[in-house]
Amino acid sequence: MPPAGVPSAEAGPAVAAGRWAVAAGVVSVAVGLVAGELAAALVSPALSPMTGVGSAVIDAVPPAVKDWAVAVFGTADKLALLLGMGLAIAALAALAGRLEWRRRFAGFAVIAIFGVAGMVAVAGRAQSTGNAIVLPLLSAGTGVLVLRWLIARLRDGGPAYVSPAPGPSGDPAPAPAPLAGAGRRRFLQALGGSAVVATLGGALAVALRGAAAGVSEFRSKLALPSPASPVPPVPAGAELRLDGISPLVTPNRNFYRIDTALTVPAVDPDSWVLKVTGMVERDIELDFATLLSKPMTERHITIACVSNEVGGDLIGNALWLGWPVRELLAMAGPQGGADMVLSRSSDGWTAGTPLEALTDTRDALLAVGMNGEPLPLEHGFPVRLIVPGLYGYVSATKWLTELKVTRFAEDSGYWTPRGWSERGPIKTSSRIDVPRSGRPVRAGSVAFGGVAWAQHTGIGTVELRVNRGAWQPAELAPGISRDTWYQWQLSLSLTPGQYEIQVRATDLNGVPQIEEPSRVAPDGATGFHTIRVDVTP
Protein backbone atom coordinates (compact mmCIF):
# COMPACT_ATOMS: atom_id res chain seq x y z
CA MET A 1 0.00 0.00 0.00
CA PRO A 2 1.43 3.46 -0.87
CA PRO A 3 2.01 6.01 1.89
CA ALA A 4 -1.00 7.98 3.06
CA GLY A 5 -1.77 10.98 0.86
CA VAL A 6 0.08 9.60 -2.20
CA PRO A 7 -2.15 8.87 -5.21
CA SER A 8 -2.27 5.12 -5.90
CA ALA A 9 -2.76 3.17 -9.04
CA GLU A 10 -6.16 2.13 -7.74
CA ALA A 11 -7.32 5.75 -7.30
CA GLY A 12 -9.39 7.15 -10.13
CA PRO A 13 -7.45 9.30 -12.62
CA ALA A 14 -9.40 12.44 -11.68
CA VAL A 15 -8.87 11.89 -7.94
CA ALA A 16 -5.15 11.30 -8.42
CA ALA A 17 -4.79 14.37 -10.63
CA GLY A 18 -6.70 16.48 -8.15
CA ARG A 19 -4.33 15.46 -5.37
CA TRP A 20 -1.30 16.37 -7.41
CA ALA A 21 -2.94 19.70 -8.30
CA VAL A 22 -3.30 20.43 -4.59
CA ALA A 23 0.41 19.69 -4.13
CA ALA A 24 1.22 21.95 -7.09
CA GLY A 25 -0.74 24.80 -5.48
CA VAL A 26 1.07 24.48 -2.16
CA VAL A 27 4.51 24.31 -3.76
CA SER A 28 3.77 27.23 -6.12
CA VAL A 29 2.67 29.53 -3.33
CA ALA A 30 5.68 28.45 -1.25
CA VAL A 31 8.01 29.43 -4.11
CA GLY A 32 6.20 32.77 -4.42
CA LEU A 33 6.50 33.51 -0.71
CA VAL A 34 10.18 32.63 -0.70
CA ALA A 35 10.75 34.93 -3.70
CA GLY A 36 9.13 37.80 -1.80
CA GLU A 37 11.16 37.16 1.35
CA LEU A 38 14.40 36.91 -0.62
CA ALA A 39 13.67 40.19 -2.39
CA ALA A 40 12.80 41.79 0.94
CA ALA A 41 16.18 40.76 2.32
CA LEU A 42 17.81 42.76 -0.47
CA VAL A 43 15.57 45.83 -0.86
CA SER A 44 13.37 46.01 2.25
CA PRO A 45 15.10 44.56 5.32
CA ALA A 46 12.69 46.20 7.75
CA LEU A 47 9.48 44.89 6.17
CA SER A 48 8.67 41.74 4.18
CA PRO A 49 5.34 40.44 2.84
CA MET A 50 5.01 37.91 5.67
CA THR A 51 5.81 40.35 8.47
CA GLY A 52 3.59 43.00 6.88
CA VAL A 53 0.59 40.70 6.67
CA GLY A 54 1.24 39.25 10.11
CA SER A 55 1.48 42.70 11.68
CA ALA A 56 -1.73 43.75 9.92
CA VAL A 57 -3.44 40.67 11.36
CA ILE A 58 -2.24 41.60 14.84
CA ASP A 59 -3.61 45.13 14.39
CA ALA A 60 -6.98 43.90 13.11
CA VAL A 61 -7.59 41.34 15.83
CA PRO A 62 -9.98 42.67 18.52
CA PRO A 63 -8.38 43.33 21.93
CA ALA A 64 -10.42 40.52 23.49
CA VAL A 65 -8.88 38.03 21.05
CA LYS A 66 -5.39 39.38 21.80
CA ASP A 67 -6.04 38.94 25.51
CA TRP A 68 -7.20 35.37 24.86
CA ALA A 69 -4.08 34.62 22.80
CA VAL A 70 -1.81 35.96 25.53
CA ALA A 71 -3.70 33.96 28.15
CA VAL A 72 -3.51 30.73 26.13
CA PHE A 73 -0.09 30.98 24.46
CA GLY A 74 1.70 33.45 26.73
CA THR A 75 4.94 34.72 25.20
CA ALA A 76 4.61 32.09 22.42
CA ASP A 77 1.72 34.05 20.88
CA LYS A 78 3.87 35.20 17.93
CA LEU A 79 4.87 31.61 17.15
CA ALA A 80 1.22 30.57 17.35
CA LEU A 81 0.30 33.34 14.92
CA LEU A 82 3.01 32.33 12.45
CA LEU A 83 1.92 28.69 12.59
CA GLY A 84 -1.70 29.71 12.12
CA MET A 85 -0.77 31.91 9.15
CA GLY A 86 1.21 29.05 7.64
CA LEU A 87 -1.73 26.66 7.92
CA ALA A 88 -4.14 29.21 6.45
CA ILE A 89 -1.81 29.97 3.53
CA ALA A 90 -1.28 26.26 2.86
CA ALA A 91 -5.03 25.68 2.81
CA LEU A 92 -5.66 28.54 0.38
CA ALA A 93 -2.72 27.44 -1.77
CA ALA A 94 -4.16 23.94 -1.94
CA LEU A 95 -7.49 25.42 -2.97
CA ALA A 96 -5.76 27.48 -5.68
CA GLY A 97 -4.14 24.36 -7.14
CA ARG A 98 -7.40 22.42 -7.12
CA LEU A 99 -9.36 25.25 -8.72
CA GLU A 100 -6.74 25.85 -11.39
CA TRP A 101 -6.83 22.18 -12.30
CA ARG A 102 -10.60 22.32 -12.78
CA ARG A 103 -10.91 25.72 -14.46
CA ARG A 104 -8.25 27.88 -16.06
CA PHE A 105 -7.42 31.13 -14.19
CA ALA A 106 -9.53 30.17 -11.14
CA GLY A 107 -6.46 29.29 -9.09
CA PHE A 108 -4.58 32.27 -10.48
CA ALA A 109 -7.35 34.52 -9.11
CA VAL A 110 -6.88 33.10 -5.61
CA ILE A 111 -3.16 33.81 -5.69
CA ALA A 112 -3.78 37.29 -7.13
CA ILE A 113 -6.04 38.05 -4.17
CA PHE A 114 -3.14 36.95 -1.94
CA GLY A 115 -0.92 39.52 -3.62
CA VAL A 116 -3.36 42.42 -3.44
CA ALA A 117 -4.16 41.73 0.23
CA GLY A 118 -0.44 41.59 0.99
CA MET A 119 0.19 44.85 -0.84
CA VAL A 120 -2.56 46.60 1.16
CA ALA A 121 -1.19 45.19 4.44
CA VAL A 122 2.39 46.27 3.68
CA ALA A 123 1.30 49.72 2.50
CA GLY A 124 -0.38 50.28 5.85
CA ARG A 125 2.76 49.69 7.94
CA ALA A 126 4.65 52.65 9.37
CA GLN A 127 7.97 51.46 7.91
CA SER A 128 6.52 50.83 4.44
CA THR A 129 8.47 51.95 1.37
CA GLY A 130 7.88 51.75 -2.36
CA ASN A 131 10.12 48.70 -2.53
CA ALA A 132 8.20 46.96 0.23
CA ILE A 133 4.79 47.61 -1.36
CA VAL A 134 5.62 45.83 -4.62
CA LEU A 135 7.02 42.73 -2.94
CA PRO A 136 3.63 41.04 -2.31
CA LEU A 137 2.87 41.44 -6.02
CA LEU A 138 6.24 39.87 -6.83
CA SER A 139 5.34 36.95 -4.58
CA ALA A 140 1.93 36.54 -6.20
CA GLY A 141 3.33 36.82 -9.73
CA THR A 142 5.99 34.22 -9.03
CA GLY A 143 3.40 31.89 -7.53
CA VAL A 144 1.12 32.28 -10.56
CA LEU A 145 3.91 31.49 -13.03
CA VAL A 146 5.03 28.41 -11.12
CA LEU A 147 1.45 27.16 -10.75
CA ARG A 148 0.77 27.60 -14.47
CA TRP A 149 3.92 25.69 -15.32
CA LEU A 150 3.18 22.84 -12.91
CA ILE A 151 -0.47 22.48 -13.96
CA ALA A 152 0.63 22.38 -17.61
CA ARG A 153 3.08 19.59 -16.73
CA LEU A 154 0.36 17.80 -14.84
CA ARG A 155 -2.09 17.95 -17.77
CA ASP A 156 0.02 16.59 -20.56
CA GLY A 157 3.62 16.15 -19.48
CA GLY A 158 4.69 19.16 -21.51
CA PRO A 159 5.05 22.90 -20.94
CA ALA A 160 2.01 23.93 -22.94
CA TYR A 161 -1.40 24.43 -21.32
CA VAL A 162 -4.14 22.25 -22.85
CA SER A 163 -7.68 23.37 -22.09
CA PRO A 164 -10.17 20.51 -21.61
CA ALA A 165 -12.88 20.28 -24.22
CA PRO A 166 -16.36 21.37 -23.07
CA GLY A 167 -18.91 18.69 -22.30
CA PRO A 168 -22.42 18.43 -23.72
CA SER A 169 -23.80 20.91 -21.15
CA GLY A 170 -21.21 23.52 -22.01
CA ASP A 171 -19.28 23.08 -18.77
CA PRO A 172 -15.64 22.09 -18.94
CA ALA A 173 -15.15 18.38 -19.13
CA PRO A 174 -13.16 16.68 -16.37
CA ALA A 175 -9.49 17.42 -16.84
CA PRO A 176 -7.42 14.59 -18.28
CA ALA A 177 -5.30 12.60 -15.93
CA PRO A 178 -1.55 13.17 -16.07
CA LEU A 179 0.24 10.95 -18.50
CA ALA A 180 1.93 7.88 -17.25
CA GLY A 181 5.56 7.05 -17.85
CA ALA A 182 7.78 9.86 -19.07
CA GLY A 183 5.08 12.54 -18.71
CA ARG A 184 4.40 11.56 -15.12
CA ARG A 185 8.11 11.58 -14.34
CA ARG A 186 8.49 15.04 -15.86
CA PHE A 187 5.68 16.39 -13.68
CA LEU A 188 7.08 14.81 -10.52
CA GLN A 189 10.53 16.16 -11.36
CA ALA A 190 9.07 19.64 -11.84
CA LEU A 191 7.11 19.43 -8.59
CA GLY A 192 10.04 18.07 -6.62
CA GLY A 193 12.43 20.59 -8.12
CA SER A 194 10.11 23.44 -7.21
CA ALA A 195 9.82 22.13 -3.67
CA VAL A 196 13.61 21.99 -3.40
CA VAL A 197 13.86 25.54 -4.72
CA ALA A 198 11.33 26.69 -2.11
CA THR A 199 13.21 24.92 0.67
CA LEU A 200 16.66 26.16 -0.29
CA GLY A 201 15.33 29.63 -1.06
CA GLY A 202 13.63 29.74 2.30
CA ALA A 203 16.85 28.82 4.04
CA LEU A 204 18.68 31.50 2.07
CA ALA A 205 16.02 34.08 2.93
CA VAL A 206 16.40 33.26 6.59
CA ALA A 207 20.15 33.66 6.26
CA LEU A 208 19.93 36.93 4.34
CA ARG A 209 17.26 38.31 6.60
CA GLY A 210 19.20 37.11 9.57
CA ALA A 211 20.61 40.53 10.16
CA ALA A 212 19.89 39.60 13.71
CA ALA A 213 22.97 37.43 13.54
CA GLY A 214 25.17 40.41 12.77
CA VAL A 215 23.46 42.52 15.39
CA SER A 216 23.87 39.68 17.88
CA GLU A 217 27.59 39.59 17.17
CA PHE A 218 27.83 43.35 17.71
CA ARG A 219 25.91 42.95 20.95
CA SER A 220 28.12 40.11 22.16
CA LYS A 221 31.22 42.31 21.75
CA LEU A 222 29.67 45.44 23.23
CA ALA A 223 31.17 46.59 26.54
CA LEU A 224 28.63 48.60 28.50
CA PRO A 225 29.89 51.77 30.17
CA SER A 226 30.24 51.91 33.92
CA PRO A 227 27.36 53.79 35.53
CA ALA A 228 27.97 57.28 36.85
CA SER A 229 25.10 56.61 39.24
CA PRO A 230 25.53 52.98 40.36
CA VAL A 231 22.65 50.92 41.65
CA PRO A 232 22.14 51.24 45.43
CA PRO A 233 23.02 48.08 47.37
CA VAL A 234 20.28 45.49 47.70
CA PRO A 235 19.05 45.62 51.33
CA ALA A 236 19.92 42.67 53.52
CA GLY A 237 17.08 40.18 53.64
CA ALA A 238 15.40 41.50 50.47
CA GLU A 239 15.49 38.03 48.91
CA LEU A 240 13.70 35.36 50.96
CA ARG A 241 14.91 31.78 51.09
CA LEU A 242 11.68 30.09 50.06
CA ASP A 243 11.54 27.41 47.36
CA GLY A 244 9.26 28.34 44.49
CA ILE A 245 9.05 32.06 45.15
CA SER A 246 9.80 34.38 42.23
CA PRO A 247 13.43 35.51 42.28
CA LEU A 248 14.01 39.07 43.38
CA VAL A 249 15.61 39.79 39.98
CA THR A 250 14.11 38.06 36.95
CA PRO A 251 16.73 36.41 34.67
CA ASN A 252 16.68 37.71 31.10
CA ARG A 253 15.78 34.29 29.70
CA ASN A 254 12.66 34.19 31.91
CA PHE A 255 11.58 37.80 31.47
CA TYR A 256 8.19 38.14 29.83
CA ARG A 257 7.94 39.47 26.30
CA ILE A 258 4.77 41.12 25.00
CA ASP A 259 4.84 43.33 21.88
CA THR A 260 3.33 43.55 18.41
CA ALA A 261 6.52 42.72 16.47
CA LEU A 262 5.92 39.54 14.46
CA THR A 263 9.65 39.03 14.16
CA VAL A 264 12.30 40.55 16.42
CA PRO A 265 13.67 43.70 14.75
CA ALA A 266 17.39 43.64 14.05
CA VAL A 267 18.45 47.25 14.52
CA ASP A 268 22.03 48.07 13.52
CA PRO A 269 23.55 50.13 16.35
CA ASP A 270 25.98 51.77 13.90
CA SER A 271 23.08 53.34 11.98
CA TRP A 272 20.68 53.78 14.93
CA VAL A 273 19.55 57.34 15.60
CA LEU A 274 17.07 58.58 18.19
CA LYS A 275 15.20 61.71 17.14
CA VAL A 276 13.49 64.14 19.51
CA THR A 277 10.86 66.13 17.62
CA GLY A 278 7.54 67.90 18.05
CA MET A 279 6.83 70.64 20.59
CA VAL A 280 10.46 71.36 21.46
CA GLU A 281 12.72 74.37 21.28
CA ARG A 282 15.21 72.38 19.24
CA ASP A 283 15.18 69.02 17.49
CA ILE A 284 17.74 66.52 18.72
CA GLU A 285 19.39 63.54 17.04
CA LEU A 286 21.32 61.09 19.19
CA ASP A 287 23.42 58.21 17.84
CA PHE A 288 24.35 55.08 19.77
CA ALA A 289 27.99 55.98 20.38
CA THR A 290 26.97 59.38 21.79
CA LEU A 291 24.35 57.76 24.01
CA LEU A 292 26.93 55.35 25.43
CA SER A 293 29.17 58.29 26.28
CA LYS A 294 26.52 59.87 28.52
CA PRO A 295 26.60 59.47 32.32
CA MET A 296 24.63 56.29 32.89
CA THR A 297 22.24 55.42 35.71
CA GLU A 298 21.75 51.86 36.96
CA ARG A 299 18.50 50.96 38.73
CA HIS A 300 16.34 47.97 39.63
CA ILE A 301 12.88 48.61 38.13
CA THR A 302 9.87 46.31 37.91
CA ILE A 303 7.81 46.60 34.72
CA ALA A 304 4.44 45.02 33.97
CA CYS A 305 2.13 44.45 31.02
CA VAL A 306 -1.41 45.82 31.28
CA SER A 307 -2.60 42.39 30.07
CA ASN A 308 -1.32 40.79 33.27
CA GLU A 309 -4.21 39.00 34.96
CA VAL A 310 -4.50 38.91 38.75
CA GLY A 311 -1.86 36.37 39.78
CA GLY A 312 -0.32 36.42 36.29
CA ASP A 313 3.34 36.39 35.28
CA LEU A 314 3.50 39.21 32.72
CA ILE A 315 5.66 41.18 35.12
CA GLY A 316 9.35 41.11 35.98
CA ASN A 317 12.08 42.92 37.86
CA ALA A 318 15.45 43.65 36.28
CA LEU A 319 18.56 45.75 36.72
CA TRP A 320 18.49 48.39 33.96
CA LEU A 321 21.32 50.61 32.75
CA GLY A 322 20.56 53.78 30.83
CA TRP A 323 20.65 57.53 30.48
CA PRO A 324 17.79 59.40 32.21
CA VAL A 325 15.22 60.53 29.65
CA ARG A 326 14.80 63.84 31.48
CA GLU A 327 18.36 64.79 30.52
CA LEU A 328 17.66 64.32 26.81
CA LEU A 329 14.33 66.15 26.98
CA ALA A 330 15.98 69.02 28.84
CA MET A 331 18.37 69.41 25.91
CA ALA A 332 15.41 69.61 23.52
CA GLY A 333 13.41 72.02 25.71
CA PRO A 334 9.72 70.98 25.74
CA GLN A 335 7.38 73.86 24.91
CA GLY A 336 4.54 75.06 27.12
CA GLY A 337 1.32 73.13 26.68
CA ALA A 338 3.01 69.82 25.90
CA ASP A 339 1.84 66.99 28.15
CA MET A 340 2.76 63.78 26.30
CA VAL A 341 5.70 62.12 24.59
CA LEU A 342 4.89 59.79 21.71
CA SER A 343 7.67 57.21 21.51
CA ARG A 344 8.10 55.17 18.34
CA SER A 345 9.66 51.77 17.73
CA SER A 346 11.60 50.76 14.63
CA ASP A 347 8.61 48.60 13.62
CA GLY A 348 6.20 51.54 13.84
CA TRP A 349 4.63 50.78 17.23
CA THR A 350 3.95 53.81 19.41
CA ALA A 351 3.29 54.60 23.07
CA GLY A 352 1.94 57.81 24.59
CA THR A 353 3.70 58.60 27.89
CA PRO A 354 2.82 61.51 30.19
CA LEU A 355 5.56 64.11 29.82
CA GLU A 356 5.66 64.46 33.59
CA ALA A 357 6.69 60.80 34.00
CA LEU A 358 9.71 61.39 31.77
CA THR A 359 10.83 64.66 33.33
CA ASP A 360 10.25 64.22 37.08
CA THR A 361 12.67 62.65 39.55
CA ARG A 362 11.76 59.04 38.81
CA ASP A 363 14.43 57.08 36.94
CA ALA A 364 12.86 56.87 33.47
CA LEU A 365 15.69 55.55 31.31
CA LEU A 366 16.88 55.23 27.75
CA ALA A 367 17.98 51.72 28.66
CA VAL A 368 20.91 50.00 26.96
CA GLY A 369 21.58 47.27 29.53
CA MET A 370 19.56 44.60 31.32
CA ASN A 371 20.87 42.58 34.25
CA GLY A 372 24.49 43.42 33.55
CA GLU A 373 24.53 42.80 29.81
CA PRO A 374 23.42 44.68 26.68
CA LEU A 375 19.70 44.50 26.07
CA PRO A 376 18.68 41.17 24.50
CA LEU A 377 17.37 41.62 20.95
CA GLU A 378 13.87 40.55 21.96
CA HIS A 379 13.87 43.13 24.76
CA GLY A 380 14.68 46.11 22.58
CA PHE A 381 18.36 46.18 21.61
CA PRO A 382 19.99 48.60 21.14
CA VAL A 383 17.76 51.04 23.12
CA ARG A 384 14.38 50.90 24.83
CA LEU A 385 12.35 52.97 27.27
CA ILE A 386 11.91 51.99 30.91
CA VAL A 387 9.51 54.13 32.95
CA PRO A 388 8.74 53.26 36.60
CA GLY A 389 5.09 53.25 37.58
CA LEU A 390 3.44 52.90 34.17
CA TYR A 391 2.20 49.83 32.31
CA GLY A 392 4.31 48.93 29.30
CA TYR A 393 1.71 49.85 26.69
CA VAL A 394 2.20 53.53 27.53
CA SER A 395 5.90 53.49 28.31
CA ALA A 396 8.11 50.48 27.55
CA THR A 397 8.85 51.11 23.87
CA LYS A 398 11.45 48.68 22.50
CA TRP A 399 13.77 49.32 19.54
CA LEU A 400 13.28 53.03 20.21
CA THR A 401 13.77 55.48 17.31
CA GLU A 402 11.81 58.64 18.11
CA LEU A 403 10.46 60.76 20.96
CA LYS A 404 7.83 63.25 19.79
CA VAL A 405 6.85 65.85 22.39
CA THR A 406 3.17 66.53 21.85
CA ARG A 407 -0.25 66.59 23.54
CA PHE A 408 -2.71 63.86 24.45
CA ALA A 409 -5.36 65.93 22.66
CA GLU A 410 -3.44 65.68 19.39
CA ASP A 411 -1.70 62.29 19.38
CA SER A 412 -2.27 58.81 20.77
CA GLY A 413 -0.23 55.67 21.12
CA TYR A 414 -0.95 52.34 19.46
CA TRP A 415 -3.30 50.94 22.11
CA THR A 416 -5.35 54.00 23.11
CA PRO A 417 -7.57 54.07 19.98
CA ARG A 418 -8.11 50.35 20.56
CA GLY A 419 -9.96 50.93 23.80
CA TRP A 420 -7.22 51.15 26.43
CA SER A 421 -6.87 54.03 28.86
CA GLU A 422 -4.66 56.99 28.09
CA ARG A 423 -2.12 57.09 30.91
CA GLY A 424 -1.83 53.57 32.38
CA PRO A 425 -0.54 53.86 35.95
CA ILE A 426 0.31 50.43 37.39
CA LYS A 427 -2.15 49.26 40.03
CA THR A 428 -1.06 47.92 43.40
CA SER A 429 -1.26 44.14 43.36
CA SER A 430 0.10 40.96 44.93
CA ARG A 431 0.57 37.32 44.01
CA ILE A 432 0.90 33.95 45.75
CA ASP A 433 3.75 31.96 44.19
CA VAL A 434 3.85 29.05 46.66
CA PRO A 435 2.13 26.73 47.10
CA ARG A 436 0.62 26.44 43.63
CA SER A 437 -3.14 26.50 43.45
CA GLY A 438 -4.68 23.02 43.47
CA ARG A 439 -1.52 21.21 44.51
CA PRO A 440 -1.83 19.13 47.69
CA VAL A 441 0.27 20.00 50.72
CA ARG A 442 0.86 18.14 53.97
CA ALA A 443 -0.96 19.18 57.13
CA GLY A 444 0.95 21.25 59.64
CA SER A 445 2.90 24.42 59.04
CA VAL A 446 2.39 25.42 55.39
CA ALA A 447 4.70 28.10 53.96
CA PHE A 448 3.12 30.68 51.67
CA GLY A 449 5.10 33.22 49.73
CA GLY A 450 5.02 35.53 46.74
CA VAL A 451 5.55 39.07 45.54
CA ALA A 452 3.70 42.38 45.78
CA TRP A 453 4.18 45.61 43.90
CA ALA A 454 3.12 49.24 43.85
CA GLN A 455 5.69 50.70 41.44
CA HIS A 456 6.76 54.27 42.15
CA THR A 457 4.89 54.09 45.48
CA GLY A 458 6.20 51.05 47.35
CA ILE A 459 4.59 48.32 49.46
CA GLY A 460 3.71 48.89 53.11
CA THR A 461 2.08 45.59 54.15
CA VAL A 462 1.02 42.23 52.74
CA GLU A 463 -1.72 40.13 54.36
CA LEU A 464 -3.30 36.70 53.86
CA ARG A 465 -6.69 35.40 54.85
CA VAL A 466 -8.05 31.85 54.99
CA ASN A 467 -11.61 31.07 53.89
CA ARG A 468 -12.55 34.79 53.99
CA GLY A 469 -11.56 35.04 57.66
CA ALA A 470 -9.48 37.69 59.37
CA TRP A 471 -6.47 39.14 57.58
CA GLN A 472 -3.10 37.99 58.94
CA PRO A 473 0.06 40.05 58.34
CA ALA A 474 2.83 38.41 56.35
CA GLU A 475 6.55 38.97 56.75
CA LEU A 476 7.46 41.60 54.19
CA ALA A 477 11.06 41.58 52.99
CA PRO A 478 12.78 44.96 52.54
CA GLY A 479 12.21 46.30 49.06
CA ILE A 480 15.10 47.21 46.78
CA SER A 481 13.23 50.43 46.06
CA ARG A 482 9.69 51.70 45.67
CA ASP A 483 10.02 50.95 41.93
CA THR A 484 10.43 47.19 42.41
CA TRP A 485 8.36 44.35 43.70
CA TYR A 486 8.77 43.03 47.25
CA GLN A 487 8.90 39.42 48.39
CA TRP A 488 6.74 38.22 51.29
CA GLN A 489 6.13 35.00 53.22
CA LEU A 490 3.86 33.60 55.93
CA SER A 491 3.55 30.14 57.51
CA LEU A 492 0.05 28.98 58.45
CA SER A 493 -0.89 25.97 60.55
CA LEU A 494 -3.48 24.02 58.56
CA THR A 495 -5.29 20.77 59.32
CA PRO A 496 -6.49 18.37 56.61
CA GLY A 497 -9.16 19.87 54.38
CA GLN A 498 -9.70 22.33 51.53
CA TYR A 499 -8.88 26.01 51.94
CA GLU A 500 -9.27 29.23 50.00
CA ILE A 501 -6.29 31.54 50.47
CA GLN A 502 -6.29 35.20 49.39
CA VAL A 503 -3.59 37.86 49.48
CA ARG A 504 -3.76 41.64 49.48
CA ALA A 505 -1.16 44.41 49.54
CA THR A 506 -1.29 47.94 50.87
CA ASP A 507 1.04 50.61 49.52
CA LEU A 508 3.25 52.93 51.55
CA ASN A 509 0.53 55.60 51.42
CA GLY A 510 -1.85 53.25 53.25
CA VAL A 511 -4.01 52.56 50.20
CA PRO A 512 -4.96 48.85 49.85
CA GLN A 513 -5.22 47.15 46.52
CA ILE A 514 -8.69 47.01 44.98
CA GLU A 515 -10.74 43.99 46.01
CA GLU A 516 -13.42 44.18 43.31
CA PRO A 517 -12.41 41.99 40.36
CA SER A 518 -12.07 43.65 36.96
CA ARG A 519 -10.69 42.60 33.61
CA VAL A 520 -7.37 43.80 32.23
CA ALA A 521 -9.06 46.22 29.81
CA PRO A 522 -9.06 49.17 29.79
CA ASP A 523 -6.50 49.97 32.50
CA GLY A 524 -5.33 46.80 34.27
CA ALA A 525 -6.88 43.95 36.26
CA THR A 526 -7.92 44.25 39.88
CA GLY A 527 -8.95 41.79 42.60
CA PHE A 528 -7.31 39.56 45.18
CA HIS A 529 -5.21 36.65 43.95
CA THR A 530 -7.01 33.56 45.24
CA ILE A 531 -5.78 29.98 45.36
CA ARG A 532 -7.27 26.67 46.53
CA VAL A 533 -5.15 24.45 48.73
CA ASP A 534 -5.85 20.77 49.46
CA VAL A 535 -4.25 19.84 52.78
CA THR A 536 -3.67 16.11 53.21
CA PRO A 537 -2.94 14.20 56.45
Side-chain angles (χ1 to χ4, degrees):
M1 178 179 294
V6 177
S8 65
E10 291 79 12
V15 173
R19 291 176 180 175
W20 287 121
V22 164
V26 172
V27 169
S28 299
V29 169
V31 172
L33 289 175
V34 166
E37 296 299 304
L38 280 171
L42 300 175
V43 302
S44 179
L47 185 64
S48 74
M50 283 293 287
T51 57
V53 171
S55 297
V57 170
I58 292 175
D59 289 354
V61 169
V65 177
K66 290 188 177 77
D67 293 341
W68 172 85
V70 170
V72 173
F73 300 109
T75 55
D77 57 340
K78 306 300 186 303
L79 177 60
L81 174 62
L82 289 172
L83 291 175
M85 285 177 57
L87 291 174
I89 291 172
L92 291 173
L95 177 64
R98 184 77 178 192
L99 291 176
E100 185 60 30
W101 171 248
R102 296 179 63 84
R103 185 183 296 272
R104 188 175 184 181
F105 297 126
F108 296 178
V110 173
I111 298 178
I113 292 172
F114 268 141
V116 173
M119 182 179 66
V120 171
V122 169
R125 306 314 301 166
Q127 67 272 44
S128 180
T129 63
N131 288 340
I133 291 174
V134 301
L135 294 179
L137 298 182
L138 171 65
S139 291
T142 303
V144 162
L145 291 176
V146 175
L147 181 60
R148 180 168 186 172
W149 178 60
L150 289 177
I151 291 297
R153 290 280 183 177
L154 179 61
R155 289 188 183 284
D156 60 12
Y161 182 94
V162 180
S163 179
S169 63
D171 294 328
L179 297 180
R184 181 183 180 88
R185 284 194 299 273
R186 282 194 294 269
F187 166 74
L188 293 178
Q189 289 169 353
L191 182 68
S194 299
V196 170
V197 168
T199 301
L200 296 179
L204 180 59
V206 169
L208 290 177
R209 288 187 58 78
V215 174
S216 293
E217 183 178 1
F218 182 103
R219 176 184 174 275
S220 67
K221 297 178 180 178
L222 177 63
L224 292 175
S226 298
S229 175
V231 62
V234 175
E239 185 152 24
L240 300 176
R241 305 290 183 180
L242 181 61
D243 289 342
I245 198 171
S246 299
L248 190 61
V249 177
T250 311
N252 290 353
R253 65 182 180 278
N254 297 333
F255 210 95
Y256 79 94
R257 178 199 165 197
I258 297 293
D259 51 58
T260 62
L262 187 60
T263 57
V264 176
V267 180
D268 182 2
D270 285 334
S271 59
W272 177 86
V273 173
L274 174 61
K275 297 180 180 180
V276 183
T277 63
M279 299 174 62
V280 292
E281 297 298 331
R282 62 197 67 82
D283 289 351
I284 300 289
E285 289 194 1
L286 180 72
D287 61 35
F288 192 58
T290 302
L291 174 58
L292 291 181
S293 70
K294 298 296 183 180
M296 293 282 164
T297 294
E298 193 174 40
R299 293 291 185 269
H300 285 102
I301 298 172
T302 296
I303 63 173
C305 178
V306 72
S307 296
N308 195 39
E309 298 281 358
V310 172
D313 59 1
L314 300 181
I315 182 170
N317 184 49
L319 177 62
W320 306 96
L321 175 72
W323 189 39
V325 184
R326 61 178 175 269
E327 302 292 339
L328 177 62
L329 292 178
M331 292 172 58
Q335 296 175 353
D339 61 4
M340 188 257 269
V341 174
L342 188 73
S343 55
R344 186 177 300 276
S345 169
S346 67
D347 69 343
W349 187 85
T350 55
T353 308
L355 177 61
E356 178 185 7
L358 299 177
T359 55
D360 62 15
T361 58
R362 79 185 73 191
D363 292 313
L365 301 175
L366 298 170
V368 297
M370 181 179 183
N371 288 333
E373 62 182 69
L375 290 171
L377 268 63
E378 63 271 21
H379 290 295
F381 185 82
V383 183
R384 69 171 293 168
L385 271 181
I386 293 294
V387 184
L390 301 179
Y391 286 118
Y393 80 103
V394 296
S395 67
T397 304
K398 303 174 186 175
W399 313 291
L400 183 66
T401 59
E402 182 183 4
L403 297 175
K404 178 185 178 184
V405 179
T406 179
R407 294 175 50 81
F408 280 106
E410 298 174 5
D411 283 298
S412 59
Y414 179 90
W415 284 110
T416 303
R418 292 166 170 81
W420 296 80
S421 65
E422 199 170 59
R423 296 173 184 263
I426 293 177
K427 296 179 177 178
T428 301
S429 193
S430 52
R431 186 178 75 198
I432 302 172
D433 290 336
V434 290
R436 297 293 183 183
S437 185
R439 292 187 182 177
V441 297
R442 301 295 296 270
S445 180
V446 179
F448 292 83
V451 289
W453 56 92
Q455 284 97 318
H456 204 53
T457 302
I459 293 293
T461 62
V462 173
E463 301 166 290
L464 263 67
R465 69 179 177 184
V466 180
N467 294 337
R468 308 294 172 111
W471 288 104
Q472 303 180 52
E475 175 193 346
L476 183 65
I480 296 177
S481 75
R482 63 180 183 168
D483 291 329
T484 64
W485 62 17
Y486 296 55
Q487 292 184 340
W488 60 266
Q489 65 181 358
L490 177 63
S491 293
L492 297 174
S493 180
L494 300 177
T495 58
Q498 292 185 330
Y499 298 87
E500 176 193 83
I501 311 295
Q502 292 182 303
V503 62
R504 75 173 180 184
T506 300
D507 69 21
L508 284 171
N509 294 328
V511 180
Q513 71 178 88
I514 299 172
E515 179 176 5
E516 182 181 358
S518 68
R519 299 174 60 85
V520 296
D523 58 0
T526 60
F528 295 155
H529 186 209
T530 303
I531 67 171
R532 268 71 183 180
V533 176
D534 294 325
V535 179
T536 61

